Amino acid sequence: MPDHQDAGGHSPHLSTDEQGQAAQHSTPPALVIHEVVREEGEAALQRPVGALAWSALAAGLSMGFSFLVQAVLAAGMPDTSWRHLVAGLGYCTGFVIVILGRQQLFTESTLTVVLPVLMHRDARTLLAALRLWTVVLAVNVAGTIAFAALLLVPGVFQAEVVHSLGTLAMQAMPDAFWPTVLRAVFAGWLIALMVWLLPSARAARLLTILFISYIVGISHLSHIIAGSVEAAYAVFTHQASASDFLVRFFAPTLLGNIIGGVSLVAMINHAAVASEMDDRDGENGDGKGLAGKRT
């Protein structure tokens, strides 16, 4: 069956210019998307620690606006069963800032830097990925804690917004460990899928970010960075303890986000194109496969 994604790109009924226009409007094949995302991961692995840290700090601070805008929207609405559907639009704010601003977010890296690891399969790439994860996660969380502390400054927000902030903060503190892990798996899965979709989204990049992050928000799925702002605010306002932050929120959410991003997206999407890459290398007569060529 011909690939509908290339439809028109090689049509004999079109001129050369028209074929080019058709190709530009077609959806990139999975292999092209894979390589775009992998190249982003390769570039991230080459960044110095200082650059990673500053970008991660910006991302952590920016994600705080998901919490704040969501609380502002909720405070201005009546207490109805559908209020969270409107307030959930505020949850998208941080993701839009971070992704369009090219800031370093931990959950994005569960896809981008894992693809180079799967391609190279060597200790150096694995250690570089672990270095990036450690730096980005630590500084992302530091940024969220700093943002949560700023929200405590008295007199900045109206009483209704402060009350809404406290209510939302406690939603990030579930009691059951494994249900939280599963919610975090779904969140990590969706955010990694969003990164996978962006290369083919073109002019719809903003809509893609809004749509996926909105689903995460209204479904109350657990995201390690967005949720860290809420959980830290709960600790600062004495609604929860530091151990609650670590045990009830951080540990299950981190575990689930990693599982969702790495296993369900990075590994499966890589496996979907790995045989195609090997077949193309075989046609070139090198007999190694793309992973071997890049090692």
Side-chain angles (χ1 to χ4, degrees):
M1 180 180 295
D3 190 348
H4 72 281
Q5 294 173 327
D6 295 328
H10 303 287
S11 172
H13 304 292
L14 301 177
S15 67
T16 302
D17 289 342
E18 290 170 337
Q19 289 178 2
Q21 292 173 8
Q24 290 176 3
H25 287 82
S26 63
T27 302
L31 180 56
V32 173
I33 296 174
H34 178 281
E35 287 301 281
V36 170
V37 176
R38 184 190 62 77
E39 288 292 345
E40 290 184 3
E42 297 277 6
L45 291 177
Q46 299 300 319
R47 298 185 73 183
V49 171
L52 285 174
W54 282 112
S55 182
L57 179 62
L61 291 168
S62 297
M63 287 303 299
F65 287 103
S66 287
F67 178 39
L68 175 59
V69 178
Q70 194 175 9
V72 171
L73 291 176
M77 299 182 60
D79 187 9
T80 62
S81 60
W82 47 264
R83 179 170 67 174
H84 72 287
L85 298 177
V86 178
L89 292 170
Y91 188 83
C92 308
T93 307
F95 289 95
V96 171
I97 297 172
V98 167
I99 296 171
L100 294 185
R102 307 293 293 177
Q103 298 168 357
Q104 200 76 47
L105 186 65
F106 174 77
T107 45
E108 286 187 88
S109 66
T110 59
L111 172 64
T112 54
V113 304
V114 171
L115 293 184
V117 172
L118 294 174
M119 291 291 295
H120 296 297
R121 301 180 186 179
D122 59 14
R124 188 178 74 171
T125 309
L126 177 60
L127 290 174
L130 292 175
R131 181 204 67 157
L132 183 144
W133 273 16
T134 301
V135 172
V136 172
L137 177 61
V139 183
N140 273 172
V141 173
T144 63
I145 293 174
F147 192 97
L150 291 174
L151 296 177
L152 299 174
V153 177
V156 177
F157 302 107
Q158 296 177 341
E160 296 82 359
V161 175
V162 174
H163 175 75
S164 183
L165 286 169
T167 301
L168 289 174
M170 286 309 297
Q171 293 179 2
M173 289 291 189
D175 293 321
F177 186 90
W178 290 111
T180 305
V181 171
L182 184 56
R183 285 194 295 270
V185 168
F186 287 132
W189 188 351
L190 284 169
I191 297 303
L193 277 177
M194 177 177 66
V195 176
W196 183 266
L197 292 172
L198 287 177
S200 60
R202 295 192 178 94
R205 285 173 61 86
L206 177 59
L207 183 60
T208 302
I209 298 168
L210 289 172
F211 179 69
I212 299 296
S213 57
Y214 179 70
I215 292 174
V216 175
I218 65 171
S219 302
H220 301 297
L221 303 180
S222 300
H223 186 271
I224 188 64
I225 308 304
S228 287
V229 190
E230 303 168 2
Y233 187 85
V235 173
F236 287 147
T237 54
H238 308 291
Q239 298 181 82
S241 64
S243 62
D244 290 331
F245 179 94
L246 293 173
V247 176
R248 292 171 56 186
F249 165 73
F250 194 85
T253 303
L254 178 62
L255 176 61
N257 282 173
I258 292 175
I259 293 173
V262 174
S263 64
L264 297 179
V265 179
M267 295 181 68
I268 291 176
N269 286 349
H270 174 75
V273 300
S275 60
E276 182 179 355
M277 290 188 290
D278 288 338
D279 289 344
R280 292 194 180 189
D281 290 333
E283 292 173 1
N284 292 333
D286 60 16
K288 288 194 222 177
L290 191 54
K293 288 171 63 179
R294 297 185 184 275
T295 305

